[in-house]
Amino acid sequence: MLRPATDADSADVLRWRNHPEVRAVSLTQHEITDEEHAAFWAATRENDAREIWIYERHGVPSGVVTYFDIDRAAGSAWWGYYLDNDGLKERNELLPAWIEIQRQAKRLAFDELGLTTLEGEVLEANEAVRRFNRRNGFEEIERYTQDIDGTPTPVLRVRATKD
């Protein structure tokens, strides 16, 4: 289930985002400071072009989905997500949660938010996510190089459209 984030979720979101496995596949790989996160959280909560949703698995907060650069007139947005890797691994639920969060986020975007186009980015080396994206209707539409912590890194822009 996805539900709108509240301020009570902020600390969990920061902890999940700073997990080494999440940072390793992110476009920003440094550990996010409390100050950076507070600024992000405040800016997101005050911006109509951004939404944060919490993924709950069996009633336990287990991940986050962010939609940003939402253009309601055009029906488009960018998105990203990550999970509570440690908590889900302890419960032996990481893989099913990974499958479920993307499907729920895509459904929310197209059915509830009224979007017709959803875009994102994935590191070219992240083959597992690339395969999963393809199975869920995302096309790789652009490849570019981005500097990540001083290293030129190939990144893919992906897009899904409403069926």
Side-chain angles (χ1 to χ4, degrees):
M1 170 185 112
L2 290 173
R3 63 162 174 80
T6 68
D7 288 338
D9 297 308
S10 179
D12 284 339
V13 170
L14 177 59
R15 181 173 46 83
W16 301 334
R17 173 57 179 82
N18 276 336
H19 190 282
E21 292 170 354
V22 172
R23 288 195 342 257
V25 295
S26 297
L27 273 65
T28 305
Q29 296 185 346
H30 71 277
E31 190 163 330
I32 304 298
T33 66
D34 290 339
E35 293 78 19
E36 284 177 285
H37 181 69
F40 157 79
W41 194 263
T44 297
R45 305 291 283 155
E46 297 168 1
N47 185 337
D48 288 339
R50 290 182 164 258
E51 293 192 16
I52 303 175
W53 292 75
I54 298 299
Y55 166 70
E56 290 188 351
R57 183 161 176 80
H58 306 300
V60 178
S62 299
V64 62
V65 177
T66 58
Y67 300 98
F68 54 97
D69 294 342
I70 300 170
D71 183 337
R72 295 182 199 285
S76 64
W78 284 72
W79 80 306
Y81 68 95
Y82 44 91
L83 295 164
D84 173 11
N85 285 16
D86 287 340
L88 289 162
K89 282 180 185 177
E90 284 176 20
R91 297 188 307 274
N92 200 28
E93 296 182 333
L94 186 58
L95 181 58
W98 187 50
I99 292 168
E100 189 175 62
I101 193 173
Q102 189 179 78
R103 290 181 180 158
Q104 286 186 14
K106 190 176 166 190
R107 195 172 322 130
L108 177 79
F110 293 148
D111 297 345
E112 294 182 40
L113 300 181
L115 303 176
T116 56
T117 304
L118 195 56
E119 300 200 19
E121 296 167 303
V122 62
L123 300 181
E124 185 177 63
N126 194 344
E127 187 57 42
V129 168
R130 291 177 63 196
R131 279 192 311 270
F132 188 63
N133 282 344
R134 286 190 292 270
R135 276 185 289 216
N136 282 300
F138 284 87
E139 295 179 74
E140 295 175 352
I141 60 169
E142 180 183 5
R143 181 186 185 273
Y144 56 93
T145 301
Q146 181 168 325
D147 184 289
I148 299 178
D149 294 336
T151 302
T153 306
V155 177
L156 299 167
R157 180 177 173 185
V158 299
R159 176 183 294 151
T161 55
K162 186 174 182 175
D163 299 329

